[in-house]
Amino acid sequence: FLTAQTKKSGGITAEQAAVIAKFWKNHRVKVHESLVSRSRWDNVLRNISWRVDLKSQHRHLQQINTTPVAIVEMELGKNGQ
């Protein structure tokens, strides 16, 4: 990638590419850990339950069970607790 950037018009110089490559080699693990920690949720899923509600009574027989509704309940907790 860096080699291609040095060959582009208006790209970086070979010296700049060498500095970037050295920085990446020395700090790759720290950069990765930082990105992973920022992308995680602080909360964790403790419990999940769901059900489907159906109409069981209606004036007209054709309208029974025509629009089922799914209900999902999630319980969240803090990570590490």
XYZ file of all heavy atoms in Angstrom:
655
model
N 0.836 -1.197 0.000
C 0.000 0.000 0.000
C 0.875 1.252 0.000
O 0.637 2.174 -0.762
C -0.941 -0.010 1.204
C -1.738 1.247 1.339
C -2.846 1.467 0.533
C -1.398 2.215 2.264
C -3.592 2.625 0.645
C -2.130 3.373 2.387
C -3.235 3.578 1.574
N 1.872 1.270 0.875
C 2.729 2.451 0.950
C 3.528 2.654 -0.329
O 3.719 3.788 -0.771
C 3.665 2.349 2.161
C 2.983 2.487 3.523
C 3.980 2.234 4.637
C 2.336 3.842 3.677
N 3.985 1.567 -0.935
C 4.721 1.685 -2.197
C 3.835 2.302 -3.277
O 4.290 3.162 -4.038
C 5.218 0.298 -2.650
O 6.016 -0.256 -1.607
C 6.044 0.401 -3.916
N 2.580 1.883 -3.323
C 1.651 2.452 -4.312
C 1.428 3.940 -4.052
O 1.287 4.727 -4.994
C 0.323 1.703 -4.273
N 1.400 4.343 -2.773
C 1.194 5.758 -2.446
C 2.388 6.618 -2.861
O 2.230 7.795 -3.183
C 0.926 5.924 -0.945
C -0.329 5.235 -0.459
C -1.567 5.672 -1.217
O -1.808 6.857 -1.397
N -2.337 4.710 -1.685
N 3.578 6.033 -2.863
C 4.755 6.801 -3.282
C 4.781 7.010 -4.788
O 5.395 7.950 -5.271
C 6.067 6.103 -2.849
O 6.137 4.815 -3.455
C 6.149 5.976 -1.343
N 4.116 6.135 -5.529
C 4.124 6.240 -6.984
C 3.007 7.126 -7.518
O 3.030 7.523 -8.678
C 4.009 4.848 -7.609
C 5.223 3.994 -7.311
C 5.096 2.609 -7.889
C 6.322 1.785 -7.515
N 6.252 0.426 -8.030
N 2.034 7.461 -6.678
C 0.930 8.332 -7.105
C 1.406 9.763 -7.247
O 2.283 10.217 -6.503
C -0.202 8.309 -6.063
C -1.087 7.128 -6.131
C -2.229 7.320 -5.147
C -3.236 6.209 -5.239
N -4.334 6.399 -4.275
N 0.775 10.464 -8.155
C 1.050 11.882 -8.285
C 0.472 12.601 -7.069
O -0.693 12.453 -6.743
C 0.395 12.406 -9.567
O 0.552 13.797 -9.653
N 1.312 13.352 -6.375
C 0.869 14.042 -5.161
C 0.829 13.132 -3.953
O 0.273 13.491 -2.917
N 1.414 11.946 -4.052
C 1.437 10.993 -2.948
C 2.534 11.322 -1.955
O 3.071 12.433 -1.928
N 2.882 10.340 -1.147
C 3.911 10.545 -0.135
C 5.289 10.211 -0.694
O 5.415 9.526 -1.711
C 3.614 9.693 1.120
C 3.628 8.194 0.790
C 2.298 10.090 1.751
C 3.457 7.290 1.994
N 6.322 10.697 -0.002
C 7.695 10.410 -0.439
C 8.136 9.065 0.132
O 7.495 8.506 1.028
C 8.657 11.506 0.062
O 8.697 11.474 1.487
C 8.227 12.883 -0.421
N 9.236 8.558 -0.363
C 9.775 7.285 0.125
C 10.178 7.403 1.591
O 10.023 6.448 2.365
C 10.968 6.866 -0.729
N 10.691 8.582 1.995
C 11.060 8.792 3.397
C 9.825 8.758 4.305
O 9.841 8.166 5.389
C 11.802 10.122 3.570
C 13.170 10.161 2.908
C 13.094 10.453 1.399
O 12.042 10.915 0.926
O 14.095 10.187 0.719
N 8.749 9.384 3.858
C 7.509 9.362 4.642
C 6.961 7.945 4.750
O 6.475 7.536 5.806
C 6.460 10.286 4.005
C 6.794 11.754 4.120
C 5.870 12.619 3.294
O 5.395 12.210 2.232
N 5.619 13.835 3.770
N 7.045 7.181 3.669
C 6.586 5.794 3.692
C 7.411 4.968 4.670
O 6.871 4.126 5.391
C 6.661 5.188 2.286
N 8.724 5.218 4.732
C 9.581 4.486 5.668
C 9.215 4.808 7.115
O 9.174 3.925 7.971
C 11.047 4.817 5.396
N 8.915 6.079 7.405
C 8.530 6.477 8.766
C 7.206 5.825 9.151
O 7.052 5.309 10.269
C 8.445 8.017 8.875
C 7.805 8.433 10.183
C 9.833 8.638 8.736
N 6.242 5.835 8.244
C 4.932 5.223 8.514
C 5.084 3.718 8.743
O 4.494 3.157 9.666
C 3.945 5.513 7.366
C 3.625 7.011 7.334
C 2.664 4.700 7.528
C 2.852 7.449 6.102
N 5.883 3.071 7.924
C 6.102 1.624 8.072
C 6.766 1.307 9.412
O 6.382 0.339 10.087
C 6.954 1.102 6.922
N 7.736 2.112 9.830
C 8.408 1.884 11.108
C 7.433 2.092 12.267
O 7.404 1.315 13.215
C 9.606 2.821 11.243
C 10.400 2.573 12.496
C 11.633 3.445 12.561
C 12.401 3.155 13.850
N 13.593 3.994 13.960
N 6.625 3.163 12.189
C 5.634 3.421 13.237
C 4.662 2.255 13.341
O 4.361 1.775 14.431
C 4.869 4.719 12.948
C 3.756 4.976 13.920
C 4.017 5.601 15.124
C 2.461 4.577 13.635
C 2.996 5.838 16.034
C 1.435 4.793 14.541
C 1.708 5.429 15.746
N 4.149 1.795 12.198
C 3.178 0.692 12.198
C 3.792 -0.581 12.777
O 3.151 -1.286 13.558
C 2.665 0.441 10.788
C 1.678 -0.688 10.732
C 1.859 -1.902 10.167
C 0.370 -0.713 11.314
N 0.748 -2.672 10.346
C -0.186 -1.977 11.050
C -0.384 0.211 12.028
C -1.458 -2.340 11.462
C -1.652 -0.147 12.447
C -2.175 -1.412 12.168
N 5.042 -0.863 12.421
C 5.701 -2.063 12.925
C 5.837 -2.017 14.445
O 5.628 -3.023 15.130
C 7.085 -2.201 12.280
C 7.824 -3.449 12.678
C 9.172 -3.531 11.967
C 9.918 -4.779 12.391
N 11.232 -4.864 11.768
N 6.149 -0.841 14.996
C 6.355 -0.709 16.438
C 5.060 -0.582 17.236
O 5.038 -0.906 18.425
C 7.244 0.499 16.742
C 8.664 0.293 16.254
O 9.141 -0.840 16.168
N 9.334 1.371 15.907
N 3.989 -0.093 16.627
C 2.766 0.208 17.377
C 1.539 -0.558 16.900
O 0.422 -0.263 17.321
C 2.472 1.704 17.287
C 3.487 2.569 17.973
N 4.838 2.344 17.908
C 3.354 3.665 18.744
C 5.488 3.262 18.597
N 4.601 4.081 19.118
N 1.719 -1.542 16.065
C 0.602 -2.281 15.487
C -0.300 -2.902 16.560
O -1.520 -2.801 16.505
C 1.116 -3.358 14.537
C 0.051 -4.238 13.958
C 0.608 -5.268 13.026
N 1.817 -5.857 13.594
C 2.662 -6.610 12.913
N 2.439 -6.881 11.663
N 3.728 -7.119 13.489
N 0.277 -3.524 17.574
C -0.504 -4.193 18.624
C -1.307 -3.167 19.422
O -2.494 -3.374 19.705
C 0.418 -5.015 19.547
C -0.351 -5.578 20.722
C 1.071 -6.135 18.760
N -0.699 -2.038 19.785
C -1.400 -1.007 20.544
C -2.550 -0.415 19.748
O -3.633 -0.165 20.295
C -0.433 0.112 20.939
C 0.576 -0.306 21.979
C 1.495 0.846 22.295
C 2.612 0.420 23.229
N 3.554 1.505 23.476
N -2.340 -0.168 18.468
C -3.398 0.379 17.612
C -4.553 -0.614 17.517
O -5.722 -0.245 17.641
C -2.855 0.728 16.210
C -3.969 1.076 15.257
C -1.854 1.871 16.311
N -4.246 -1.893 17.339
C -5.277 -2.927 17.241
C -6.082 -3.009 18.531
O -7.312 -3.028 18.513
C -4.637 -4.278 16.924
C -5.624 -5.386 16.825
N -5.881 -6.231 17.881
C -6.440 -5.778 15.823
C -6.805 -7.099 17.528
N -7.154 -6.844 16.281
N -5.407 -3.052 19.680
C -6.107 -3.137 20.963
C -6.985 -1.914 21.205
O -8.093 -2.029 21.724
C -5.095 -3.294 22.095
C -4.440 -4.656 22.129
C -3.326 -4.757 23.159
O -3.011 -3.725 23.802
O -2.773 -5.854 23.309
N -6.507 -0.758 20.821
C -7.291 0.466 20.997
C -8.559 0.433 20.149
O -9.647 0.781 20.624
C -6.444 1.680 20.617
O -7.212 2.854 20.665
N -8.436 -0.003 18.902
C -9.608 -0.077 18.025
C -10.620 -1.107 18.518
O -11.822 -0.873 18.496
C -9.175 -0.400 16.593
C -8.445 0.710 15.860
C -7.930 0.209 14.511
C -9.340 1.917 15.668
N -10.142 -2.243 19.002
C -11.038 -3.280 19.510
C -11.766 -2.793 20.757
O -12.967 -2.977 20.905
C -10.267 -4.592 19.792
C -11.107 -5.573 20.576
C -9.814 -5.215 18.480
N -11.050 -2.133 21.669
C -11.689 -1.667 22.904
C -12.727 -0.584 22.617
O -13.735 -0.494 23.309
C -10.648 -1.152 23.889
O -10.068 0.046 23.435
N -12.517 0.226 21.605
C -13.498 1.273 21.251
C -14.723 0.711 20.564
O -15.786 1.314 20.584
C -12.859 2.307 20.337
C -11.857 3.166 21.016
C -11.323 4.192 20.063
N -10.149 4.849 20.611
C -9.501 5.810 19.999
N -9.886 6.215 18.813
N -8.448 6.344 20.555
N -14.604 -0.450 19.939
C -15.723 -0.991 19.167
C -16.624 -1.909 19.998
O -17.651 -2.340 19.532
C -15.206 -1.748 17.945
O -14.459 -2.876 18.353
N -16.228 -2.229 21.226
C -17.044 -3.103 22.071
C -18.110 -2.302 22.788
O -17.903 -1.158 23.158
C -16.178 -3.789 23.117
C -15.322 -4.868 22.570
C -14.669 -5.612 23.711
N -13.636 -6.490 23.217
C -12.517 -6.745 23.865
N -12.281 -6.194 25.027
N -11.634 -7.557 23.350
N -19.235 -2.966 23.049
C -20.268 -2.373 23.879
C -19.807 -2.424 25.324
O -19.136 -3.357 25.746
C -21.559 -3.138 23.770
C -22.344 -2.878 22.537
C -21.954 -2.183 21.434
C -23.660 -3.327 22.279
N -22.939 -2.175 20.510
C -23.997 -2.876 21.010
C -24.572 -4.064 23.003
C -25.240 -3.124 20.449
C -25.806 -4.320 22.434
C -26.126 -3.851 21.177
N -20.230 -1.455 26.107
C -19.931 -1.483 27.529
C -20.888 -2.432 28.248
O -20.573 -2.972 29.290
C -20.054 -0.074 28.118
C -19.510 0.010 29.527
O -18.598 -0.769 29.852
O -19.998 0.840 30.299
N -22.054 -2.641 27.677
C -23.050 -3.521 28.287
C -22.984 -4.914 27.668
O -22.523 -5.080 26.545
C -24.457 -2.961 28.087
C -24.635 -1.644 28.813
O -24.079 -1.425 29.857
N -25.414 -0.761 28.227
N -23.439 -5.900 28.419
C -23.501 -7.266 27.911
C -24.926 -7.771 28.041
O -25.694 -7.320 28.886
C -22.541 -8.204 28.680
C -21.101 -7.823 28.416
C -22.812 -8.198 30.164
N -25.280 -8.729 27.211
C -26.617 -9.305 27.224
C -26.707 -10.336 28.336
O -25.960 -11.299 28.369
C -26.908 -9.956 25.866
C -28.282 -10.562 25.683
C -29.359 -9.493 25.785
C -28.377 -11.253 24.336
N -27.615 -10.110 29.285
C -27.802 -11.021 30.409
C -28.876 -12.070 30.121
O -28.737 -13.223 30.466
C -28.213 -10.249 31.663
C -27.172 -9.320 32.168
C -26.203 -10.073 33.046
N -25.186 -9.143 33.520
C -23.911 -9.391 33.519
N -23.465 -10.532 33.088
N -23.054 -8.502 33.949
N -29.947 -11.640 29.484
C -31.073 -12.546 29.267
C -31.875 -12.052 28.072
O -31.941 -10.861 27.810
C -31.964 -12.579 30.520
C -33.038 -13.637 30.437
O -32.941 -14.569 29.653
N -34.084 -13.487 31.235
N -32.473 -12.982 27.358
C -33.358 -12.628 26.250
C -34.538 -13.590 26.258
O -34.378 -14.788 26.503
C -32.627 -12.654 24.889
C -33.528 -12.125 23.785
C -32.106 -14.024 24.558
C -32.803 -11.828 22.483
N -35.725 -13.042 26.058
C -36.922 -13.878 25.945
C -37.819 -13.267 24.886
O -37.763 -12.066 24.621
C -37.647 -13.977 27.293
O -38.076 -12.701 27.715
N -38.627 -14.100 24.283
C -39.521 -13.606 23.249
C -40.783 -14.430 23.226
O -40.837 -15.538 23.717
C -38.836 -13.604 21.886
C -38.479 -14.967 21.382
C -37.392 -15.698 21.697
C -39.256 -15.767 20.478
N -37.413 -16.901 21.038
C -38.547 -16.968 20.282
C -40.463 -15.581 19.813
C -39.017 -17.971 19.456
C -40.924 -16.586 18.989
C -40.208 -17.756 18.813
N -41.823 -13.815 22.663
C -43.094 -14.501 22.495
C -43.821 -13.883 21.312
O -43.507 -12.784 20.881
C -43.939 -14.413 23.765
C -44.449 -13.023 24.077
C -45.337 -13.029 25.325
N -46.019 -11.775 25.478
C -45.627 -10.781 26.264
N -44.522 -10.913 26.971
N -46.313 -9.674 26.341
N -44.814 -14.608 20.812
C -45.645 -14.121 19.719
C -47.064 -13.993 20.245
O -47.631 -14.960 20.762
C -45.595 -15.067 18.501
C -46.540 -14.589 17.409
C -44.176 -15.185 17.973
N -47.624 -12.797 20.160
C -48.998 -12.557 20.584
C -49.922 -12.640 19.376
O -49.658 -12.033 18.337
C -49.138 -11.180 21.227
C -48.526 -11.120 22.610
O -48.176 -12.189 23.128
O -48.420 -10.016 23.158
N -51.004 -13.384 19.522
C -51.986 -13.553 18.455
C -53.359 -13.099 18.949
O -53.671 -13.224 20.134
C -52.081 -15.025 18.029
C -50.802 -15.682 17.552
C -51.026 -17.182 17.400
C -50.369 -15.074 16.234
N -54.163 -12.597 18.042
C -55.540 -12.264 18.392
C -56.339 -13.561 18.487
O -56.363 -14.355 17.559
C -56.167 -11.372 17.324
C -55.630 -9.981 17.272
C -56.373 -9.184 16.208
C -55.833 -7.789 16.087
N -56.525 -7.021 15.052
N -56.975 -13.767 19.625
C -57.764 -14.993 19.777
C -59.264 -14.717 19.747
O -60.058 -15.640 19.621
C -57.398 -15.705 21.081
O -57.652 -14.854 22.174
N -59.645 -13.463 19.876
C -61.063 -13.108 19.801
C -61.222 -11.881 18.923
O -60.445 -10.934 19.014
C -61.627 -12.804 21.189
C -61.656 -13.988 22.108
C -62.243 -13.619 23.467
O -62.463 -12.458 23.753
N -62.479 -14.621 24.280
N -62.232 -11.913 18.089
C -62.530 -10.772 17.237
C -63.958 -10.919 16.745
O -64.529 -12.015 16.741
C -61.554 -10.694 16.055
C -61.352 -9.294 15.588
N -62.207 -8.656 14.755
C -60.362 -8.401 15.865
C -61.772 -7.426 14.510
N -60.645 -7.252 15.184
N -64.523 -9.830 16.330
C -65.908 -9.855 15.875
C -66.069 -10.739 14.643
O -67.035 -11.480 14.520
C -66.370 -8.436 15.560
C -67.818 -8.381 15.051
C -68.260 -6.987 14.794
N -68.396 -6.301 16.085
C -68.717 -5.025 16.206
N -68.901 -4.284 15.143
N -68.835 -4.481 17.389
N -65.133 -10.665 13.718
C -65.216 -11.443 12.487
C -64.161 -12.547 12.521
O -62.998 -12.304 12.831
C -65.001 -10.565 11.260
C -65.963 -9.427 11.189
N -67.303 -9.604 10.926
C -65.791 -8.097 11.376
C -67.914 -8.426 10.934
N -67.006 -7.491 11.215
N -64.542 -13.745 12.192
C -63.650 -14.903 12.237
C -62.435 -14.728 11.336
O -61.342 -15.192 11.649
C -64.431 -16.167 11.839
C -63.705 -17.485 11.977
C -63.323 -17.721 13.436
C -64.560 -18.623 11.470
N -62.569 -14.017 10.214
C -61.463 -13.842 9.274
C -60.321 -13.011 9.862
O -59.189 -13.071 9.401
C -61.940 -13.165 7.975
C -62.919 -13.963 7.167
C -64.353 -13.779 7.674
O -64.607 -13.002 8.589
N -65.295 -14.513 7.089
N -60.583 -12.221 10.898
C -59.563 -11.332 11.453
C -58.784 -11.953 12.610
O -57.859 -11.350 13.119
C -60.210 -10.028 11.910
C -60.762 -9.226 10.749
C -61.461 -7.967 11.219
O -61.918 -7.897 12.352
N -61.547 -6.988 10.341
N -59.138 -13.175 13.005
C -58.412 -13.845 14.077
C -57.035 -14.283 13.558
O -56.917 -14.845 12.480
C -59.211 -15.056 14.610
C -60.493 -14.559 15.280
C -58.383 -15.882 15.577
C -61.392 -15.677 15.773
N -56.005 -14.025 14.324
C -54.613 -14.405 14.006
C -54.101 -13.832 12.691
O -53.253 -14.416 12.047
C -54.453 -15.931 13.986
C -54.690 -16.530 15.360
O -54.487 -15.871 16.364
N -55.117 -17.767 15.383
N -54.604 -12.671 12.282
C -54.129 -12.091 11.020
C -52.885 -11.234 11.203
O -52.098 -11.105 10.283
C -55.229 -11.219 10.371
O -55.637 -10.228 11.314
C -56.401 -12.078 9.941
N -52.689 -10.651 12.373
C -51.533 -9.791 12.582
C -50.809 -10.197 13.861
O -50.970 -9.567 14.904
C -51.947 -8.307 12.671
O -52.958 -8.183 13.681
C -52.473 -7.809 11.360
N -49.990 -11.252 13.806
C -49.231 -11.625 14.999
C -48.158 -10.577 15.306
O -47.640 -9.922 14.410
C -48.598 -12.961 14.623
C -48.556 -12.953 13.140
C -49.730 -12.129 12.681
N -47.880 -10.418 16.573
C -46.888 -9.448 17.023
C -45.830 -10.187 17.830
O -46.149 -10.912 18.769
C -47.554 -8.363 17.897
C -46.508 -7.402 18.429
C -48.615 -7.616 17.120
N -44.581 -10.023 17.451
C -43.480 -10.630 18.198
C -42.977 -9.619 19.233
O -42.741 -8.460 18.920
C -42.346 -11.026 17.260
N -42.831 -10.070 20.472
C -42.337 -9.226 21.549
C -41.019 -9.816 22.046
O -40.951 -10.986 22.402
C -43.360 -9.144 22.701
C -44.645 -8.498 22.169
C -42.785 -8.372 23.864
C -45.771 -8.499 23.167
N -39.975 -8.982 22.044
C -38.651 -9.422 22.486
C -38.271 -8.601 23.713
O -38.377 -7.371 23.702
C -37.599 -9.222 21.378
C -36.209 -9.617 21.850
C -37.974 -9.990 20.135
N -37.842 -9.284 24.771
C -37.374 -8.608 25.970
C -35.904 -8.963 26.184
O -35.537 -10.131 26.181
C -38.183 -9.062 27.185
C -39.646 -8.697 27.099
C -40.468 -9.249 28.254
O -39.891 -9.986 29.082
O -41.665 -8.966 28.315
N -35.060 -7.916 26.331
C -33.626 -8.126 26.542
C -33.223 -7.468 27.856
O -33.636 -6.348 28.140
C -32.823 -7.535 25.391
C -33.039 -8.241 24.072
S -31.935 -7.657 22.787
C -32.555 -6.029 22.499
N -32.412 -8.162 28.613
C -31.865 -7.611 29.852
C -30.373 -7.379 29.664
O -29.629 -8.291 29.308
C -32.099 -8.592 30.999
C -31.539 -8.122 32.315
C -31.681 -9.173 33.417
O -32.360 -10.191 33.197
O -31.086 -8.961 34.466
N -29.933 -6.135 29.861
C -28.540 -5.774 29.700
C -27.909 -5.560 31.062
O -28.558 -5.157 32.020
C -28.397 -4.489 28.880
C -28.948 -4.539 27.450
C -28.828 -3.174 26.790
C -28.237 -5.586 26.634
N -26.618 -5.843 31.172
C -25.861 -5.613 32.392
C -24.517 -5.021 32.046
O -24.065 -5.086 30.909
N -23.868 -4.453 33.017
C -22.542 -3.870 32.807
C -21.507 -4.970 32.628
O -21.564 -6.004 33.273
C -22.140 -2.990 33.984
C -22.879 -1.686 34.035
C -22.368 -0.760 32.997
C -23.052 0.593 33.108
N -22.764 1.437 32.000
N -20.554 -4.738 31.757
C -19.483 -5.694 31.493
C -18.636 -5.868 32.749
O -18.214 -4.900 33.361
C -18.622 -5.198 30.333
C -17.776 -6.285 29.749
O -17.866 -7.432 30.131
N -16.931 -5.918 28.800
N -18.414 -7.109 33.176
C -17.599 -7.386 34.341
C -18.349 -7.416 35.647
O -17.778 -7.600 36.706
N -19.651 -7.220 35.620
C -20.460 -7.252 36.854
C -21.456 -8.373 36.798
O -21.887 -8.777 35.770
C -21.205 -5.933 37.055
C -20.298 -4.773 37.322
C -21.093 -3.474 37.527
O -22.294 -3.455 37.370
N -20.392 -2.421 37.862
